[in-house]
Amino acid sequence: MRPLEGIRILDFTHVLAGPFCTRLLADMGADVVKVNSAKRAAANNAPSSPYYAIWNRNKRALALDMSHDRANDVARSLANQADVVIDNFSLGVLDRWGIGYEEVSASNDQVIYVQMSGMGGGGPWSDFVTYAPTIHALAGLTYMTGVPDGGPIGLGFSYNDHQAGLHGAVAILSAIEARRQTGKGQQVDLAQFEVGTAMIGVSLLDYFVNGREAHPCGNRVPYDKFAPHGCFLCRPDGDDILEERWLAIVCRDEGEWNALCSVMGDPEWCRADSFSTAELRCENAEALDRYVNEWTSEMDANELMYTLQEAGVPAGVVQTGIDLAETDPQLKSHEFIRFMDEPHPGLGETFADRLPIYFEKTPCDTYKRSRMLGEDNVSVLADWLGMSEEEVRTGEEAGYLT
């Protein structure tokens, strides 16, 4: 038995942040019913999309066309049976469908509603249309991800969506615990923008405490005296630029610095006055990086990582997706990447990155493929509402369960 079995979640989320949140809960045993419709099942919201398949495993699929009044009635009945209702639409969509928190909580006072909008409720930007790159930009993440005088680069992937999903899962678990103590549900407003702003916390702290304004700093850290601190080019695997290999190396104190010098063979430049203290190494970081890079450029990245780790120097290969999926020994030993329990009807054999949480007593090792549109109409509506298969098929023919 998984930890969250018995918890019912009615999931109106789409794209990444919301689906990732509910995927975590589904992995831990919650009965997550993913609501979609033929009209909305396009692009990344289409069950045949690999993107959709990744974020919607372990959930059941219900097709509801909310433009039909009868679909609204069904959704209202489902919400009355739910422990959690979650969406990441723009504000007010569920209210317009007649299944908002105020309406449903009047008949289901234990329900927990989670709204994961971009900007949250209220405020001058609450109606903004947001997406990961715009959230990153507004929250300061894009500005901080770059090199000095190089212009903002950005993160290149939906980092804040993942963080918002984690926050959403924690919010739901916290609200369930609060309900256990009070007997009442509640509404939760989660602003993805504020999640992103919180993720630059060290930079904010440096400003509040020391009055230093944060600037893009590449691989350097302005609030610690660590040097070397960066990624260093190693011997490539071939002539193609895609076969370059890099190694991240950090020296946080004199012990690690001396260990690095020893592994390098104690070259004369290591004992220069300009590198004699952590502060001086930081002041002369560019020269230091050039020396270290000359040494690493002839070395195999993986072999050097093990050598440095054995000497007590933090080092890690800059791994590619292929490294992670095919050769990483740590992930392999934990079976972190595995195939789904059954092939996907449209995509064939698909993989899962396992839940990175290991429960001793209640293991979460079930990984069911994402479901096709309306594939679970009968089982969901029977389990939650007691509807017969004949009633469900009638609804499908009428067009509101599709």
Side-chain angles (χ1 to χ4, degrees), residues 28 54 78 94 138 150 156 158 220 224 246 253 266 299 338 344 362 385:
M28 290 187 278
I54 287 173
L78 291 167
L94 296 190
L138 289 167
S158 301
R220 306 263 164 79
D224 280 313
W246 296 78
D253 54 35
D266 285 310
M299 310 291 284
R338 51 168 289 176
H344 188 279
T362 54
L385 303 182

Side-chain angles (χ1 to χ4, degrees), residues 109-392:
D109 64 0
Q110 295 196 10
V111 73
I112 294 161
Y113 263 64
V114 178
Q115 166 67 49
M116 294 180 63
S117 64
M119 292 295 167
W125 290 356
S126 62
D127 292 332
F128 272 25
V129 177
T130 60
Y131 208 60
T134 58
I135 289 286
H136 291 164
L138 289 167
L141 291 165
T142 300
Y143 175 68
M144 294 300 299
T145 308
V147 295
D149 304 319
I153 295 174
L155 295 170
F157 74 106
S158 301
Y159 172 80
N160 200 70
D161 284 68
H162 290 82
Q163 292 298 329
L166 287 170
H167 279 70
V170 170
I172 288 170
L173 295 177
S174 299
I176 290 172
E177 174 60 18
R179 186 182 67 181
R180 187 184 69 82
Q181 299 180 40
T182 67
K184 301 292 184 182
Q186 61 182 298
Q187 191 170 25
V188 178
D189 183 20
L190 192 159
Q192 295 184 43
F193 169 52
E194 293 175 24
V195 169
T197 302
M199 290 300 105
I200 60 168
V202 175
S203 299
L204 292 175
L205 184 63
D206 198 24
Y207 176 76
F208 292 140
V209 175
N210 302 312
R212 285 196 295 258
E213 182 182 352
H215 294 285
C217 57
N219 288 323
R220 306 263 164 79
V221 282
Y223 38 81
D224 280 313
K225 299 298 181 182
F226 297 164
H229 185 285
C231 296
F232 299 90
L233 187 63
C234 294
R235 189 173 67 231
D237 289 339
D239 297 329
D240 194 286
I241 190 172
L242 296 177
E243 296 178 293
E244 286 184 351
R245 302 303 292 181
W246 296 78
L247 182 70
I249 302 174
V250 178
C251 288
R252 301 166 296 176
D253 54 35
E254 295 306 312
E256 291 173 357
W257 166 245
N258 289 326
L260 175 63
C261 292
S262 179
V263 172
M264 290 190 295
D266 285 310
E268 186 176 345
W269 62 263
C270 279
R271 304 308 169 193
D273 290 343
S274 57
F275 303 140
S276 60
T277 68
E279 189 167 296
L280 287 170
R281 288 194 293 275
C282 287
E283 289 178 6
N284 298 284
E286 287 188 16
L288 175 60
D289 286 355
R290 284 196 297 272
Y291 280 121
V292 175
N293 212 81
E294 286 176 7
W295 173 66
T296 61
S297 63
E298 301 300 321
M299 310 291 284
D300 178 84
N302 274 287
E303 291 178 5
L304 184 54
M305 174 182 69
Y306 285 111
T307 300
L308 290 172
Q309 286 286 349
E310 188 174 350
V313 179
V317 171
V318 178
Q319 298 202 100
T320 66
I322 293 175
D323 294 329
L324 294 169
E326 297 183 2
T327 63
D328 185 292
Q330 183 69 20
L331 296 180
K332 222 176 252 293
S333 70
H334 282 209
E335 297 183 337
F336 180 75
I337 296 176
R338 51 168 289 176
F339 287 105
M340 292 291 186
D341 295 341
E342 63 175 305
H344 188 279
L347 300 172
E349 197 168 43
T350 55
F351 72 92
D353 51 312
R354 66 165 297 148
L355 182 73
I357 305 170
Y358 301 86
F359 294 88
E360 178 191 4
K361 304 295 185 184
T362 54
C364 298
D365 51 10
T366 298
Y367 295 95
K368 295 181 179 178
R369 64 167 175 84
S370 64
R371 312 288 284 174
M372 302 304 286
L373 181 66
E375 188 171 350
D376 301 299
N377 283 357
V378 172
S379 67
V380 168
L381 295 174
D383 292 348
W384 283 42
L385 303 182
M387 290 176 63
S388 67
E389 181 173 356
E390 182 180 0
E391 290 175 301
V392 173

